[in-house]
Amino acid sequence: MPRKSSKLDRIDLRILDELQKDARITNKALSEKVGLSPSPCLQRVKRLEDIGLIGGYLGLINLEALCRHVTVMATITIRDHDHSIFSTFESAIATLPDVVECLKLSGSFDYLVRFVCTDIQRYHAVTEDLLVQVGGKMQIASHVVLDQTKQYRGVALEELMHG
């Protein structure tokens, strides 16, 4: 959990915004974009990491060019709203490499889960195993992704902070 031990100024926000756009940017290039010399820029990045505002860096891989796969967005409803069933489900999800994202929601279903599998047969096997682990106390609605029309590229920090 990020520590809110220090205030962020506009330069901190610009650093965060630039790192969202390109996490591989050199410190020199980053410092030029945000209007600092390299040493203070690097110190700020380190501080942002230390207080938990930068949780890591990752590369976006073009899976279409790399391999065959299927992406499925599944809405999951837990039938019995017993805390232990939610815990069992969340523990099971955490161990599945095919699950790349899981969000707990309010509304008509409890979770939105993104699966990336080798094929639909693998997805079926993973969800069957999940049903067994949860004792059949969940309902899954599967939605096969046909195309990604906009990829996540970070959030509009300026708008969120000052909107």
Side-chain angles (χ1 to χ4, degrees):
M1 190 60 90
R3 296 187 311 267
K4 299 191 181 199
S5 59
S6 59
K7 296 281 185 189
L8 301 181
D9 62 18
R10 69 175 181 77
I11 294 176
D12 291 327
L13 291 176
R14 289 183 63 200
I15 288 170
L16 291 170
D17 192 49
E18 291 300 328
L19 289 173
Q20 279 189 127
K21 294 174 189 170
D22 180 7
R24 292 192 61 185
I25 190 170
T26 65
N27 183 57
K28 182 177 183 322
L30 178 61
S31 68
E32 289 169 3
K33 286 185 177 256
V34 301
L36 287 176
S37 60
S39 182
C41 184
L42 189 59
Q43 289 172 356
R44 282 183 182 241
V45 170
K46 177 72 172 124
R47 182 179 59 81
L48 293 169
E49 292 170 347
D50 289 346
I51 65 173
L53 289 176
I54 299 173
Y57 300 88
L58 83 130
L60 298 173
I61 297 168
N62 180 354
L63 283 180
E64 300 299 323
L66 182 64
C67 63
R68 288 179 41 130
H69 67 283
V70 63
T71 300
V72 179
M73 301 300 289
T75 57
I76 298 179
T77 304
I78 304 297
R79 289 191 184 128
D80 179 3
H81 278 188
D82 178 341
H83 177 71
S84 66
I85 308 243
F86 283 87
S87 293
T88 300
F89 172 79
E90 290 175 14
S91 294
I93 281 291
T95 67
L96 297 173
D98 302 88
V99 172
V100 298
E101 185 173 26
C102 179
L103 304 169
K104 190 173 188 177
L105 306 171
S106 65
S108 58
F109 48 87
D110 299 305
Y111 296 93
L112 178 63
V113 182
R114 181 164 46 130
F115 293 84
V116 178
C117 301
T118 53
D119 52 35
I120 206 69
Q121 289 77 19
R122 171 67 183 167
Y123 171 72
H124 179 71
V126 168
T127 55
E128 287 293 310
D129 182 50
L130 189 56
L131 276 165
V132 168
Q133 288 186 56
V134 180
K137 296 188 182 216
M138 64 182 219
Q139 177 180 339
I140 302 174
S142 303
H143 310 274
V144 175
V145 174
L146 302 176
D147 191 16
Q148 186 174 32
T149 58
K150 182 177 181 179
Q151 186 172 34
Y152 175 78
R153 296 284 186 189
V155 297
L157 288 176
E158 188 67 31
E159 183 68 25
L160 288 172
M161 297 298 291
H162 304 290

